[in-house]
Amino acid sequence: MNQTPLRYIYPFACHENELELCRMELRALFGQEPGAFALIDSRLRIEPNRSPFVSMRVDVLLAAGTLEEVIARMAELELDGRTFKVLYLKNGLKRTYEQQRELERQLGGRIRGKADMRQPDVTFGLLSLDDGWMFGICRPAEPVWQRHKHKPQNYSTGLTTVVARALVNIAVPDPQGVRAIDPCCGMGNVLIEALSMGIDIVGRDLNPLAVRGARVNLRHFGYDDAGLVAIGDLNDINEPFDAAIVDLPYNLCSVLSASERSRMLASVKRISKRAVIVSSEPLESEIEAAGLKIIDSCSVSKGAFVRHVWLTAQQPV
């Protein structure tokens, strides 16, 4: 069997409060809307660690109309002495526990090699959809963002690691050659997620205590904070950037007037081609008045607190 992937399957899962954000992130990363099943079927090869909602990437080796066709091809697999197991993927058509195990046994029994259900060298995935079957190699995601939950410094109202990571992916779906900025970086949650994905990003904040906290957090996770974060006002930034993630101040100590928001949004348009804007208030009219085009949007809630998220781009002059 040719082990060059035909395409890639990305199963995903999320809390219902983050469903809109999850789907918005997937649209940004893959350029398509998820269908009836909780998975993305794509020709794009993206590391499964990118999204906090993606559980794995399945490198599809075989697509067939019937299960019998899949089983007949199992003997062609070359394992070169590696151990294996077969896993029925629940993101496709639902089957009972007994049916799933039987399918795994049928395929595993045809593969030439040693099965290891605990620590296999290779995990194969079997997926059943309305139009047939797919079989491939599972590449599990390593949830690196979970390690970022425990920071030395944090705001009680700060972005969670899941939300921060999703916002970065929406702003920077393809990091190649992209220079990004978080001009209201707070304690550095967005910076840490972006840096962990190899994205070229810097942070600024008006609050010296926030900048000090961000530096502590960056060093805690092994990043050299020199030049990464500094005290600065969004409205004073003159450098151009390809992308920005702007979590507008919203706590009791940072209430923005309409004129301040307008000035900040104008600055976002001036310094960045593409921006993700986050606010606790609906700002559609203000964003458009600043000359920014809204490409996509969603809301994400945490209890009674709701964040509105907009993906924007500079309007052509």
Side-chain angles (χ1 to χ4, degrees), residues 181-202:
I181 185 170
D182 179 354
C184 306
C185 69
M187 295 293 181
N189 293 10
V190 162
L191 296 177
I192 291 165
E193 296 310 315
L195 291 166
S196 74
M197 292 186 277
I199 293 171
D200 181 6
I201 192 169
V202 295

Side-chain angles (χ1 to χ4, degrees), residues 158-179:
L159 297 170
T160 66
T161 56
V162 167
V163 172
R165 196 172 186 89
L167 295 178
V168 172
N169 284 328
I170 292 168
V172 189
D174 182 0
Q176 188 66 36
V178 171
R179 189 161 180 259

Side-chain angles (χ1 to χ4, degrees), residues 38-56:
L39 57 84
I40 290 287
D41 182 350
S42 175
R43 300 286 181 180
L44 295 177
R45 184 183 184 278
I46 294 176
E47 289 303 313
N49 298 348
R50 282 289 303 276
S51 169
F53 306 115
V54 169
S55 59
M56 68 175 70

Side-chain angles (χ1 to χ4, degrees), residues 9 15 70 78 84 86 104 111 191 214 236 242 246 303 317:
I9 300 294
H15 189 278
V70 176
E78 297 291 341
F84 76 93
V86 178
E104 292 166 357
I111 296 173
L191 296 177
D236 294 334
D242 300 295
V246 188
V317 178

Side-chain angles (χ1 to χ4, degrees), residues 20 49 59-60 79 106 111 120 139-140 161 200 223 249 265:
E20 287 187 32
N49 298 348
D59 297 0
V60 177
L79 289 174
Q106 285 187 53
I111 296 173
R139 313 285 187 187
T161 56
D200 181 6
Y223 299 108
L265 291 170

